[in-house]
Amino acid sequence: TFSTLSESARQMIAKAKSFKSLQDNWDSHGAIAPSSENIERAISFIKHADKNLLPFYFMAPGPNGELVVEFKKGNKEAAAYFNQDGSTELVMNEGEAIIEEGTIENNYKDLLRFINA
């Protein structure tokens, strides 16, 4: 349930839900508003990531209707992208070096190992 989530996960979910009010051109540069389905996919991911104690850092919409959820622990960072077409991307870096790139579906266990190592 929602009450068992960490405070940071609750904040990320509230932020994600706030994106439902965005309209196309929300940035005045032609950005596409994220779909409700995309927002719900990100929320499901946040709930799952919270169970795995991933350290939430940042969340934002992108110009093409995507959403990004970022994690940070020390100099390790990871960004999970939920694209408008239903695809996902996952990028993990340590400092300036990209450690791994892939999809959330294929690389989630790598994310856990990377952040929690």
Side-chain angles (χ1 to χ4, degrees), residues 4 21 24 26 52 60 67 69 81 84 91 93 104-105 109:
T4 61
S21 66
D24 283 344
W26 57 266
N52 289 288
L67 294 171
V69 178
Y81 295 89
Q84 196 77 328
V91 180
N93 14 316
I104 294 168
E105 297 82 3
K109 287 180 180 173

Side-chain angles (χ1 to χ4, degrees), residues 31-42:
I32 300 167
S35 67
S36 293
E37 295 82 14
N38 211 22
I39 292 167
E40 290 305 320
R41 286 187 324 128

Side-chain angles (χ1 to χ4, degrees), residues 2-116:
F2 198 66
S3 62
T4 61
L5 294 172
S6 70
E7 179 59 28
S8 60
R10 286 196 295 271
Q11 289 173 359
M12 289 287 162
I13 290 169
K15 192 168 188 180
K17 287 181 178 181
S18 77
F19 300 149
K20 290 182 179 185
S21 66
L22 292 176
Q23 302 293 317
D24 283 344
N25 198 35
W26 57 266
D27 67 348
S28 74
H29 296 287
I32 300 167
S35 67
S36 293
E37 295 82 14
N38 211 22
I39 292 167
E40 290 305 320
R41 286 187 324 128
I43 289 171
S44 292
F45 173 76
I46 290 166
K47 290 176 181 177
H48 186 71
D50 193 53
K51 289 177 186 166
N52 289 288
L53 306 176
L54 288 172
F56 296 105
Y57 178 67
F58 180 75
M59 180 178 194
N64 300 306
E66 74 276 15
L67 294 171
V68 61
V69 178
E70 295 182 1
F71 305 97
K72 184 174 176 133
K73 185 175 181 182
N75 67 339
K76 295 179 181 179
E77 297 179 16
Y81 295 89
F82 296 87
N83 300 315
Q84 196 77 328
D85 66 2
S87 67
T88 65
E89 296 171 59
L90 183 61
V91 180
M92 295 170 258
N93 14 316
E94 194 160 0
E96 297 295 315
I98 293 177
I99 303 300
E100 190 170 347
E101 292 182 90
T103 65
I104 294 168
E105 297 82 3
N106 292 336
N107 300 90
Y108 187 75
K109 287 180 180 173
D110 298 328
L111 170 65
L112 296 178
R113 278 193 292 273
F114 173 69
I115 290 289
N116 295 322

